[in-house]
Amino acid sequence: NAGVTQTPKFRVLKTGQSMTLLCAQDMNHEYMYWYRQDPGMGLRLIHYSVGEGTTAKGEVPDGYNVSRLKKQNFLLGLESAAPSQTSVYFCASKDSLREKLFFGSGTQLSVL
Amino acid sequence: LAKTTQPISMDSYEGQEVNITCSHNNIATNDYITWYQQFPSQGPRFIIQGYKTKVTNEVASLFIPADRKSSTLSLPRVSLSDTAVYYCLVGDDNNDMRFGAGTRLTVKP
């Protein structure tokens, strides 16, 4: 039982490049979330999904897109990376409305 | 969404009890209060959740007064390994799970 798995763990991009971060959970959870965390700061919600085929904006959605084509996967895309998107990205999932969040180990992204 | 306010940082010594208070003045009737712990380079992990009065588990206690406008996470006899950032979240049946800045706890020997 792997829980929440994020790939890749590290990535370096040049400004303007695109990439997709993958989050996979094997707990059959309905809800999935993408956060970013800048050094010394708290987590900020980018986008979230309340079920397969649904997505919604969080606090800082600009510059990111997401898709939830399968219940177990939540993809975060950067169409044109900017240095301001250098951060650690965390994915999380939960089973129902008041259940606890389970987090992945994070993706360290650097945009040069 | 209920806004939360926590101290930015706290220092303690090994063996002491640590209390971290979170203010949530506009908490709604159906809102629950949840605390998470985050170590460096890791994702947050759930500590405890409560609605009112007191909740205790194997790692912490959560005290919630009658008006529910604040809550206090209590960590008994902390050790160096409790050095982490602690987040308070308030929410109900909404799905928008937003974290604040958290409280950075440093435990000294």
Side-chain angles (χ1 to χ4, degrees), chain A residues 47-112:
Chain A
H47 286 280
Y48 63 98
S49 169
V50 302
E52 182 178 319
T54 73
T55 63
K57 295 180 180 180
E59 300 173 86
V60 288
D62 294 343
Y64 305 95
N65 56 77
V66 288
S67 64
R68 184 97 181 268
L69 299 180
K70 295 182 179 181
K71 186 177 183 179
Q72 64 268 33
N73 296 335
F74 195 28
L75 279 63
L76 178 70
L78 287 73
E79 292 186 348
S80 179
S84 60
Q85 294 178 304
T86 293
S87 189
V88 178
Y89 291 83
F90 287 103
C91 176
S93 71
K94 65 174 182 171
D95 188 26
S96 62
L97 291 172
R98 296 198 183 111
E99 289 298 313
K100 59 185 176 182
L101 288 166
F102 290 83
F103 280 83
S105 57
T107 296
Q108 174 69 60
L109 175 66
S110 296
V111 183
L112 305 178

Side-chain angles (χ1 to χ4, degrees), chain B residues 30-107:
Chain B
N30 294 329
D31 283 348
Y32 275 69
I33 300 156
T34 309
W35 285 80
Y36 288 83
Q37 174 192 56
Q38 185 182 27
F39 297 114
S41 302
Q42 296 184 25
R45 67 174 187 174
F46 172 88
I47 302 177
I48 197 166
Q49 183 183 72
Y51 181 78
K52 62 180 179 180
T53 63
K54 177 183 175 182
V55 179
T56 298
N57 62 22
E58 63 276 8
V59 297
S61 294
L62 179 60
F63 298 92
I64 305 168
D67 66 6
R68 304 201 325 121
K69 294 184 181 300
S70 66
S71 59
T72 299
L73 174 72
S74 180
L75 304 173
R77 299 179 297 282
V78 294
S79 64
L80 296 177
S81 63
D82 291 316
T83 293
V85 179
Y86 293 82
Y87 297 94
C88 162
L89 272 74
V90 174
D92 60 341
D93 292 342
N94 62 286
N95 309 303
D96 193 332
M97 303 288 290
R98 301 190 183 191
F99 286 70
T103 298
R104 187 173 301 275
L105 173 66
T106 302
V107 180

